[in-house]
Amino acid sequence: MHRRWLFIAAAGALIVASLIVGLLVDHKGDTDAEAKPAAGTQADVPPATVSPTASASATEASATPSAKRTPRKESARATAPSAKPSAADTPRTGSAAAPLAGRIRPGATYRGVATFYDSDGTGACMYDASGDVMTGAMNSTDYETAKACGAYVLVRAANGASVTVRITNECPGDCAPGQIDLSAEAFARLAQPSAGKIPITWTLSSPSAADTVSIRYKTGSTRYWCGIQVIGHRNPLARLEVRAGSGWRQLSRTEYNYFISDDGSGCGGAIRVTDIFGEQLTLNGVALTANAVQPTRVQFARR
């Protein structure tokens, strides 16, 4: 009898222990399930971005004519000693008012040198020749894959002279960070051409006199592939998006200053452009007509 009760007591203890372990396991399983985020709940996914490599190389090779940098016409070469700025010279100060800005920021002062060449307003930015000869070619570092295209910069010389130029070209190779290769006419506003090269400082400008923004589709653009260029913007562009379905798709910018839709998405539809200050302009009714400059009625605000 005594042994039977001992057996019953031991069996009961085992049952109770099993129940306790089971409860502990179930509680841990519940805790793990709550800690893991549920799959497929991500929201506000950024628009798809076209690969810069694919748009600039594959697209140029197959869908459109070649659009390489336009060589600069050299005139007076530097005769003064080289004055390459150090990394600390560019920039000195800056502003946080332009969250989408790249290397060139409002409120920042840049140091470098100015040279000059014969310019008609054409070049790497793929703008047409213009009667406005106050232009410049930005060094490759500050050109930043065409982000500098269309930007206005106020250039100052050590003698107090100044001139505002629009960036229409890239100065590759021999141009150091901070350097601007000005049009001959713009350089003459700062110094005698015989100087060849002079030290300068320059800052981003947002001019009061500016026409409305224009749009141009690249040669070869169709509803299956297109390149879009923005012309005449007062402030530097940060991005361009096209309406795709119920949302917006951001396009990548090539070094030759076109935004590419390599699969035709959004070609011929609404376009939304954003400047470095975050201001957005939505452009409707732009016809899908290749190589035609189409003016709009809007412009970014002066800053």
Side-chain angles (χ1 to χ4, degrees):
M1 177 66 70
H2 181 69
R3 291 181 178 177
R4 188 176 66 178
W5 283 110
L6 286 176
F7 175 78
I8 292 173
L14 288 173
I15 293 172
V16 171
S18 299
L19 291 173
I20 292 173
V21 172
L23 289 173
L24 289 174
V25 172
D26 287 345
H27 179 70
K28 183 178 184 298
D30 292 342
T31 302
D32 289 345
E34 291 175 1
K36 295 177 181 177
T41 59
Q42 298 182 23
D44 299 325
V45 179
T49 304
V50 182
S51 166
T53 303
S55 60
S57 58
T59 300
E60 284 188 67
S62 59
T64 65
S66 177
K68 301 300 181 183
R69 292 189 184 96
T70 302
R72 296 179 297 119
K73 300 175 183 177
E74 303 296 338
S75 55
R77 299 310 305 160
T79 55
S82 176
K84 292 185 179 180
S86 65
D89 288 332
T90 310
R92 287 297 181 90
T93 59
S95 169
L100 301 179
R103 286 184 55 86
I104 302 177
R105 306 191 303 273
T109 299
Y110 300 80
R111 297 182 183 275
V113 295
T115 48
F116 68 93
Y117 74 111
D118 293 330
S119 171
D120 60 0
T122 60
C125 295
M126 300 291 286
Y127 297 134
D128 292 335
S130 171
D132 177 13
V133 293
M134 295 298 114
T135 61
M138 185 62 72
N139 66 85
S140 294
T141 300
D142 295 318
Y143 183 78
E144 200 176 2
T145 315
K147 286 184 181 179
C149 284
Y152 290 88
V153 294
L154 174 62
V155 184
R156 296 182 177 88
N159 61 8
S162 65
V163 63
T164 297
V165 298
R166 183 169 66 103
I167 302 303
T168 61
N169 202 357
E170 178 184 14
C171 180
D174 55 344
C175 280
Q179 182 173 349
I180 303 178
D181 205 16
L182 300 172
S183 66
E185 293 84 354
F187 188 92
R189 298 279 185 94
L190 303 177
Q192 291 296 323
S194 58
K197 176 189 288 188
I198 60 172
I200 58 169
T201 61
W202 53 275
T203 57
L204 184 66
S205 178
S206 181
S208 57
D211 203 351
T212 57
V213 169
S214 295
I215 297 293
R216 171 162 53 192
Y217 277 100
K218 196 177 187 308
T219 301
S221 292
T222 68
R223 62 189 181 93
Y224 302 106
W225 178 96
C226 66
I228 305 173
Q229 183 185 56
V230 187
I231 305 170
H233 43 91
R234 174 183 275 127
N235 305 319
L237 285 184
R239 60 174 175 252
L240 181 146
E241 300 162 285
V242 292
R243 175 70 76 178
S246 59
W248 292 94
R249 177 190 178 191
Q250 183 177 337
L251 304 184
S252 68
R253 192 178 198 168
T254 66
E255 65 179 7
Y256 55 91
N257 196 32
Y258 273 85
F259 295 84
I260 302 298
S261 175
D262 57 359
D263 61 0
S265 176
C267 296
I271 299 170
R272 186 167 71 182
V273 292
T274 306
D275 70 5
I276 62 172
F277 299 96
E279 181 181 359
Q280 294 183 330
L281 303 176
T282 301
L283 313 174
N284 296 299
V286 180
L288 183 51
T289 304
N291 202 27
V293 177
Q294 302 184 57
T296 69
R297 299 178 180 179
V298 294
Q299 179 59 272
F300 292 114
R302 187 184 181 192
R303 304 288 178 169

